Amino acid sequence: MLEIRSIRHCRSCGNKVRYEVPPDDNRERAVCSACRTIHYENPLNVVGTLPVWGEQVLLCKRNIEPRHGMWTLPAGFMEQGETTAEGALRETIEEAGAHVEMQGLYTLLNVTRVSQVHMYYRARLLDTDFAPGPETIEARLFREHEIPWEQLAFRTVRATLQFFFEDRQTGQFTLHCADIA
Amino acid sequence: MLEIRSIRHCRSCGNKVRYEVPPDDNRERAVCSACRTIHYENPLNVVGTLPVWGEQVLLCKRNIEPRHGMWTLPAGFMEQGETTAEGALRETIEEAGAHVEMQGLYTLLNVTRVSQVHMYYRARLLDTDFAPGPETIEARLFREHEIPWEQLAFRTVRATLQFFFEDRQTGQFTLHCADIA
């Protein structure tokens, strides 16, 4: 299990925290030594889309770390006050400048090593006028045989693409849940 | 959109933060005035189960705030290093002491007002020997006409139960995604 002890000071009063099991709890949390505020750390959601244009899918070449120069589906951390679908759409606009019609939730992938849940929605591209944002070097369409499998940035991108090309043979695109080791 | 400015000090060095838009970003974050660490705030996942025993479903009477004394499905915040299904199973054991066989992801409900994503899995109860933990006053089975609809703790619990009793008429339990205002 992931063990990151990244909190050293209390977000509320600034004093030092200590990792200890609070009363009525069963795991260690960062607890402020002064004001006793408990600081919880929880998994993050990454939300994105699998944009489809006929036989082709849209990938973005990353202009940021990690995995600079590698290819990804448009995705990023979900923000406060938005839904998973709204976040996925926002990332698609921010990273690819792509115009899409959102479709159903397609993959929900647990990445416990980094305590993340990745969710990808299928999306129908409305045109091919992409306008990549600063986080993207290039946004382009790929046919299945053109996918740069060895240059994909994340295993959840690989898994989502694999599920897609499998499902396309039957035309049945149901939700896939999987755990990425 | 939810706007909580709960961070006052840097978790890394303890100095005061200021809310500002960092370079290459497009929304305000808590940025340390001293070491410039950026503190992101993101939605939390709540994971749980809908445990079924024949015609009945399991509900727990809450022994904690919020909604002390009201009824809920077993659920709680997802923890670091676990999958959504593992978290849902853990909460089912902690809150109800119930033995279940996990089934598929059943509801994914966005609660933007509090920046949470609630995910419920269907689960098959293996016996009726419940052993409620300290967070639960009572764990018991309810037939549809017995559900305390006016005493349910959360709207996502209500929605999940409503989907379930609807789907039970056809026997088709597919994923339901919805936004809870």
Side-chain angles (χ1 to χ4, degrees):
Chain A
M1 195 186 120
L2 190 77
E3 281 270 6
I4 297 177
R5 296 191 164 196
S6 62
I7 303 177
R8 290 193 289 179
H9 290 266
C10 175
R11 66 158 68 181
S12 181
C13 75
N15 279 286
K16 289 220 165 165
V17 302
R18 219 177 61 171
Y19 276 82
E20 60 184 61
V21 181
D24 302 322
D25 203 338
N26 52 23
R27 66 186 69 204
E28 291 194 339
R29 316 282 182 185
V31 180
C32 179
S33 54
C35 76
R36 306 302 297 166
T37 295
I38 302 169
H39 303 80
Y40 296 93
E41 291 155 278
N42 301 87
L44 295 176
N45 291 334
V46 170
V47 289
T49 61
L50 168 57
V52 177
W53 178 258
E55 294 289 300
Q56 301 171 89
V57 299
L58 178 67
L59 295 177
C60 298
K61 193 173 192 173
R62 287 172 65 82
N63 196 29
I64 49 171
E65 294 296 347
R67 318 289 161 79
H68 185 279
M70 297 183 82
W71 293 90
T72 185
L73 291 165
F77 288 112
M78 185 182 178
E79 298 277 8
Q80 301 286 78
E82 68 185 7
T83 67
T84 46
E86 285 167 354
L89 177 60
R90 175 183 52 72
E91 289 289 345
T92 305
I93 295 168
E94 285 180 4
E95 297 194 351
H99 311 111
V100 299
E101 176 188 280
M102 293 293 289
Q103 298 177 302
L105 179 63
Y106 184 55
T107 55
L108 188 145
L109 306 165
N110 278 279
V111 192
T112 52
R113 191 176 51 82
V114 291
S115 288
Q116 294 178 357
V117 182
H118 290 214
M119 290 174 242
Y120 285 95
Y121 286 78
R122 285 193 304 128
R124 193 171 71 83
L125 278 163
L126 300 175
D127 59 55
T128 59
D129 299 330
F130 311 130
E135 298 185 3
T136 302
I137 296 167
E138 180 187 0
R140 60 162 278 213
L141 295 169
F142 291 84
R143 289 192 166 72
E144 182 175 1
H145 70 272
E146 298 170 329
I147 298 285
W149 293 104
E150 303 307 316
Q151 296 295 316
L152 295 180
F154 305 107
R155 282 171 300 166
T156 58
V157 170
R158 166 183 290 268
T160 299
L161 290 170
Q162 285 174 331
F163 284 127
F164 176 74
F165 291 119
E166 279 168 33
D167 285 352
R168 202 171 60 175
Q169 297 181 22
T170 62
Q172 299 292 314
F173 300 98
T174 54
L175 175 74
H176 295 272
C177 295
D179 301 334
I180 306 290
Chain B
M1 193 185 120
L2 190 76
E3 280 270 8
I4 296 178
R5 297 190 162 197
S6 62
I7 303 178
R8 290 193 289 177
H9 291 267
C10 175
R11 66 158 66 182
S12 181
C13 74
N15 279 286
K16 289 219 165 170
V17 302
R18 217 178 61 171
Y19 276 81
E20 60 185 60
V21 180
D24 301 322
D25 202 338
N26 53 21
R27 65 186 69 202
E28 291 193 339
R29 315 283 182 184
V31 181
C32 180
S33 53
C35 74
R36 305 303 296 164
T37 296
I38 302 169
H39 303 81
Y40 296 93
E41 292 155 277
N42 300 87
L44 294 176
N45 291 334
V46 170
V47 289
T49 61
L50 168 57
V52 177
W53 177 258
E55 294 290 299
Q56 301 172 89
V57 299
L58 178 67
L59 295 178
C60 298
K61 193 173 192 175
R62 288 172 64 82
N63 197 29
I64 49 170
E65 295 295 345
R67 316 289 161 80
H68 184 281
M70 297 185 82
W71 293 90
T72 184
L73 292 165
F77 289 111
M78 186 182 178
E79 300 277 6
Q80 301 285 78
E82 68 185 7
T83 67
T84 46
E86 286 167 353
L89 177 60
R90 176 182 52 72
E91 289 289 346
T92 306
I93 295 167
E94 286 181 5
E95 297 194 350
H99 311 111
V100 298
E101 177 188 280
M102 293 292 289
Q103 298 178 303
L105 179 63
Y106 185 55
T107 55
L108 189 147
L109 306 165
N110 278 280
V111 193
T112 51
R113 189 176 52 84
V114 290
S115 288
Q116 293 178 357
V117 183
H118 291 214
M119 291 174 241
Y120 285 96
Y121 286 78
R122 284 192 306 127
R124 193 172 71 83
L125 278 163
L126 301 174
D127 58 54
T128 58
D129 299 330
F130 311 131
E135 297 186 2
T136 301
I137 297 168
E138 180 187 358
R140 60 161 279 210
L141 295 169
F142 291 84
R143 290 192 164 74
E144 183 176 0
H145 71 271
E146 297 169 330
I147 299 284
W149 293 105
E150 303 308 316
Q151 296 295 316
L152 295 180
F154 306 108
R155 281 169 300 167
T156 57
V157 170
R158 166 184 291 268
T160 299
L161 290 171
Q162 285 173 332
F163 284 127
F164 176 73
F165 291 119
E166 279 168 34
D167 285 353
R168 202 170 61 175
Q169 297 181 20
T170 61
Q172 298 292 314
F173 300 97
T174 54
L175 175 75
H176 295 271
C177 295
D179 301 335
I180 306 289

